[in-house]
Amino acid sequence: MPEELHGKFTMVVIDPPFITREVWEKYTQAARILLKPEGGLVLGSTIDENEAFMQELLGCQKKAFRPSIPNLVYQYSLYANFESEGLNNPNPEIPPME
């Protein structure tokens, strides 16, 4: 990443095509480089099975609002390290989380 981008961002959005822990560790490194030194906001999407390491790596918690992607095999969830009224409201087209 270009050095002029280091520490310049208040928020990063991570919507990866790969969902393994090893890949998320790399995304975490990139997010830490890009975010301002006092930290910042992180919003990511991944499968529910990754919930524990989303908390561990990025301090993100699963939110009630979920992306609507009808033709994918897996249902993704959104994870954030901040509170948001919109993210705390489930969307009606997605079945409730268990």
Side-chain angles (χ1 to χ4, degrees), residues 43-98:
L43 177 65
S45 67
T46 191
I47 58 176
D48 291 348
E49 290 80 4
N50 293 345
E51 183 174 3
F53 73 68
M54 291 298 289
Q55 173 64 40
E56 176 191 339
L57 295 174
L58 292 161
C60 290
Q61 297 163 345
K62 186 168 28 173
K63 300 301 176 181
F65 185 87
R66 302 171 88 188
S68 178
I69 312 170
N71 297 321
L72 288 181
V73 175
Y74 297 104
Q75 173 60 54
Y76 281 69
S77 288
L78 294 179
Y79 295 80
N81 69 346
F82 60 92
E83 287 302 316
S84 163
E85 185 177 335
L87 292 176
N88 288 334
N89 293 314
N91 38 329
E93 73 274 16
I94 303 290
M97 293 186 280
E98 298 171 0

Side-chain angles (χ1 to χ4, degrees), residues 9-21:
F9 295 88
T10 303
M11 181 178 196
V12 294
V13 176
I14 308 170
D15 184 29
F18 298 105
I19 54 177
T20 65
R21 181 185 174 94

